[in-house]
Amino acid sequence: EPSDTSEAQVSGAQVIAQALKTQGVDYMFGIVGIPVTEIAFAAQELGIRYIGMRNEQAACYAASAIGYLTGRPGVCLVVSGPGLIHALGGMANANMNCWPLLVIGGSSERNQETMGAFQEFPQVEACRLYSKFSARPASVEAIPSVIEKAVRSSIYGRPGACYVDIPADFVNLLVNVNSIKYTECCMSPPVSMAETSAVRMAASVIRNAKQPLLIIGKGAAYARAEENIRKLVEQCKLPFLPTPMGKGVVPDNHPNCVGAARSRALQFADVIVLLGARLNWILHFGLPPRYRPDVKFIQVDICAEELGNNVRPAVTLLGDINAVTKQLLEEFDKIPWHYPPESKWWETLREKMKSSKAASQELASKKSLPMNYYTVFYHVQEQLPRDCFIVSEGANTMDIGRTVLQNYLPRHRLDAGTFGTMGVGLGFAIAAAVLAKDRSPGQRVICVEGDSAFGFSGMEVETICRYNLPIILLVVNNNGIYQGFDTDTWKEMVKSQDATIVAPPACLLPNSHYEQVMIAFGGKGYFVQTPEELQKSLTQTLADTTKPSLINIMIEPKATRKAQDFHWLTSSKM
Ligand code: ADP
Ligand code: MG
């Protein structure tokens, strides 16, 4: 040990860990291996929580959820070549969702580049398409400033994914402590406000609306604008519609929430204020027949390039949603106004909500077995703790579940999102559960999965059990993708011919006991076929906080959604 501190040395791995710590990074998900193992050890040593996962894709989903939930990027640490490539799915998903994320990838040694080195791949180039910043530090000394830039880029402007490439020869390289200067923690993102004249114009368009609607998107959730948006809703008495992950910014059970009249609200609104939601497929592009041709959009977004996409907006408010909502509130303070609660518009919306809730309730009360989706979700909703995270993916499972399961808190719903990604559920659930464990012990994560969706990252059940995370997995099992077959039909089908020839592409093995996966790693598993069994297993698992659990819920293989006004994805072009 040199006594003179000027001769003390640090490794590249330690420099990376210290740089991350300095930038306020608290969570790292990944899989260790050559050449990044030492980075994980160094991070853990500095108090960064390291969660070892089973596939880089799930690790990357988990890290991105940390970014959405905390506003500070989580790190996904991966090995070179295939490790990095597995993580691209997570990067793409984060970038599409506008969620901050920092991927750190080991790469082959610089002096073997182009020689066919172990797991050699053009990683910085590969990540460019999936991120807003992708770079390799020129030296170990340059690591802190590149990491600062990556963290800053991930949260400034429209949030997104960033990549930092670490050549293998940096990791164990020893450098003099004094040669490293740690760049100070980047400042919080600057808050931008909309032009005053545009705010005034927006307020005037809203005042003159006959059938107004606020749409609350996941950008509003990310912006932590819940307090001001709620004020706007209540002060102006406006109907609001949350997008899937905008649910909970204002609670779903708020009297002004018109979620149950979604299609109707979109179709007949004459003024729509978009708070952090893009007019993409989720909102049917803002076009007829799903909207009036003369609807006036007021777009609020932090990203200027988003404004005017697919429609010509009446007013654009470029700025941070929280700040802009406050600006709008100030306008309505100057000249108080609220929308009349006894209007024809409210009547139309309330009527539609009543009838659509009645239709779901009727399906839910069906006593036939196997159960349908509505029966399952009504029983789940009855027992859901109010403060739980709801993670959900699957086709019908996610779509129907969203209409029945209520969110009362902002940033407590995570699902397939803008990119429609299947396989995100377990990674998201793990991230939410790690946060819950740290920040509000006792809080649960309910992860509602279709049987197909569960399969994408099913081995992460081991991760869940290893860290004993407060997760309850519900697998809504219809033996297939979209729809499956019952056991008898399946047996008949494969009796005389090989399954690889006759099995329909959408079917999965009927009657699969997914709960055994949880039992294999020491968690609790339940196989349920009736409403009574479902109720009982939910009660038990909610009471038992010592172990994760999985409830495998068998439903009718041909169960579907209730009748819809519009076919899914209907646009003017179809
Ligand atoms: P949803 O899926 O709920 O419709 P989107 O992901 O399509 O939501 O849209 C979210 C939007 O929010 C993006 O266009 C993004 O630029 C924007 N956004 C993110 N953070 C902020 C913020 N702090 N202020 C304003 N807009 C934001
Ligand atoms: Mg299924």
Side-chain angles (χ1 to χ4, degrees):
E1 285 284 307
S3 55
D4 180 0
T5 53
S6 68
E7 282 170 39
Q9 294 190 307
V10 278
S11 69
Q14 288 170 309
V15 173
I16 294 164
Q18 184 59 58
L20 290 171
K21 185 81 193 157
T22 308
Q23 296 309 318
V25 168
D26 292 327
Y27 299 95
M28 182 183 275
F29 300 80
I31 301 182
V32 296
I34 296 171
V36 300
T37 306
E38 290 83 355
I39 301 174
F41 274 99
Q44 201 170 43
E45 195 123 302
L46 288 182
I48 293 174
R49 187 82 96 257
Y50 179 80
I51 309 294
M53 308 273 292
R54 304 304 301 267
N55 185 296
E56 289 89 352
Q57 208 178 68
C60 205
Y61 294 143
S64 74
I66 290 286
Y68 174 60
L69 297 174
T70 68
R72 212 72 202 170
V75 166
C76 174
L77 179 72
V78 297
V79 301
S80 42
L84 186 271
I85 286 168
H86 290 168
L88 292 180
M91 282 180 91
N93 189 71
N95 223 38
M96 294 287 174
N97 273 347
C98 315
W99 289 359
L101 165 70
L102 175 53
V103 177
I104 294 184
S107 55
S108 36
E109 296 196 18
R110 285 170 304 162
N111 63 8
Q112 296 174 1
E113 227 157 57
T114 76
M115 295 176 69
F118 174 64
Q119 301 185 330
E120 183 181 344
F121 195 74
Q123 299 185 178
V124 174
E125 246 175 287
C127 289
R128 202 89 68 192
L129 208 51
Y130 306 89
S131 64
K132 50 189 292 206
F133 174 83
S134 179
R136 168 193 284 187
S139 61
V140 170
E141 287 75 11
I143 287 173
S145 64
V146 173
I147 284 182
E148 186 272 345
K149 181 157 179 168
V151 168
R152 181 159 42 84
S153 302
S154 76
I155 55 178
Y156 276 37
R158 171 181 271 177
C162 292
Y163 176 66
V164 175
D165 193 72
I166 303 289
D169 49 299
F170 280 5
V171 176
N172 292 314
L173 195 71
L174 293 174
V175 296
N176 191 307
V177 166
N178 296 327
S179 69
I180 307 291
K181 300 273 170 287
Y182 291 98
T183 315
E184 245 182 277
C185 183
C186 65
M187 294 191 287
S188 310
V191 177
S192 52
M193 292 201 285
E195 230 180 317
T196 326
S197 60
V199 177
R200 218 173 293 137
M201 200 202 292
S204 136
V205 172
I206 296 170
R207 278 177 216 278
N208 290 309
K210 303 229 155 32
Q211 315 200 136
L213 179 67
L214 292 184
I215 296 182
I216 304 174
K218 66 177 172 301
Y222 180 78
R224 297 181 136 65
E226 49 267 18
E227 213 176 296
N228 283 325
I229 292 179
R230 190 180 181 135
K231 265 190 208 151
L232 186 66
V233 164
E234 291 179 351
Q235 189 171 321
C236 296
K237 305 196 196 300
L238 293 165
F240 75 89
L241 176 73
T243 66
M245 283 194 255
K247 273 160 68 77
V249 169
V250 183
D252 281 340
N253 64 344
H254 192 283
N256 293 32
C257 177
V258 297
R262 183 179 189 270
S263 293
R264 199 59 58 94
L266 297 180
Q267 202 183 353
F268 296 112
D270 67 343
V271 170
I272 295 181
V273 186
L274 282 171
L275 297 166
R278 284 169 284 181
L279 290 175
N280 56 19
W281 66 278
I282 293 185
L283 288 173
H284 319 286
F285 314 111
L287 297 174
R290 307 298 303 254
Y291 293 81
R292 287 162 57 134
D294 64 346
V295 56
K296 293 191 170 105
F297 283 105
I298 299 170
Q299 269 185 298
V300 185
D301 207 290
I302 205 167
C303 173
E305 290 88 336
E306 188 56 42
L307 305 170
N309 276 344
N310 301 333
V311 302
R312 187 178 172 87
V315 189
T316 56
L317 300 174
L318 177 62
D320 171 69
I321 294 166
N322 193 37
V324 173
T325 307
K326 196 151 169 259
Q327 286 181 287
L328 282 170
L329 279 168
E330 283 159 10
E331 278 305 310
F332 289 116
D333 278 341
K334 273 188 232 155
I335 316 171
W337 170 85
H338 68 77
Y339 183 69
E342 296 309 326
S343 62
K344 189 90 196 16
W345 179 226
W346 264 121
E347 210 174 287
T348 310
L349 293 171
R350 289 208 185 99
E351 229 162 70
K352 180 64 197 174
M353 287 199 281
K354 223 171 123 191
S355 69
S356 95
K357 279 177 187 163
S360 313
Q361 220 130 26
E362 199 202 315
L363 280 163
S365 63
K366 289 241 156 74
K367 295 275 180 282
S368 56
L369 293 177
M371 292 181 277
N372 67 48
Y373 285 104
Y374 294 87
T375 310
V376 169
F377 292 131
Y378 270 76
H379 285 294
V380 174
Q381 171 59 27
E382 252 172 31
Q383 295 201 39
L384 269 193
R386 285 219 157 197
D387 68 344
C388 73
F389 283 99
I390 300 176
V391 178
S392 187
E393 59 174 337
N396 282 322
T397 297
M398 182 175 73
D399 290 341
I400 301 170
R402 183 175 58 239
T403 66
V404 181
L405 304 176
Q406 305 274 296
N407 283 92
Y408 306 98
L409 296 169
R411 296 172 297 283
H412 277 64
R413 178 184 169 85
L414 296 159
D415 66 24
T418 305
F419 211 24
T421 313
M422 293 300 138
V424 292
L426 276 70
F428 285 177
I430 287 168
V434 168
L435 276 182
K437 249 186 147 174
D438 270 8
R439 299 181 176 188
S440 46
Q443 193 184 12
R444 309 295 277 271
V445 179
I446 316 293
C447 186
V448 187
E449 302 270 312
D451 53 332
S452 160
F454 174 69
F456 286 83
S457 305
M459 196 47 73
E460 299 302 338
V461 171
E462 188 276 325
T463 310
I464 292 171
C465 289
R466 181 164 18 106
Y467 295 111
N468 196 25
L469 298 174
I471 296 174
I472 299 169
L473 282 161
L474 306 180
V475 176
V476 182
N477 191 349
N478 67 349
N479 304 338
I481 304 170
Y482 302 116
Q483 294 190 339
F485 288 91
D486 58 74
T487 314
D488 292 343
T489 313
W490 168 260
K491 277 193 180 143
E492 192 58 33
M493 217 155 27
V494 299
K495 196 169 64 185
S496 51
Q497 264 191 297
D498 193 296
T500 58
I501 297 166
V502 294
C507 76
L508 297 169
L509 187 69
N511 216 37
S512 288
H513 280 261
Y514 294 110
E515 77 285 358
Q516 298 289 346
V517 178
M518 183 58 90
I519 294 169
F521 300 112
K524 284 190 99 168
Y526 303 84
F527 180 77
V528 308
Q529 292 174 293
T530 65
E532 295 70 37
E533 288 168 357
L534 174 58
Q535 279 174 313
K536 206 170 141 209
S537 61
L538 280 168
T539 310
Q540 273 185 22
T541 190
L542 283 165
D544 177 7
T545 53
T546 62
K547 276 180 182 180
S549 58
L550 190 157
I551 308 178
N552 184 12
I553 307 164
M554 301 310 293
I555 63 160
E556 167 55 47
K558 299 283 176 240
T560 56
R561 304 172 67 176
K562 64 180 195 282
Q564 302 289 308
D565 285 348
F566 286 94
H567 191 265
W568 190 61
L569 291 182
T570 303
S571 84
S572 61
K573 291 174 190 112
M574 295 170 84

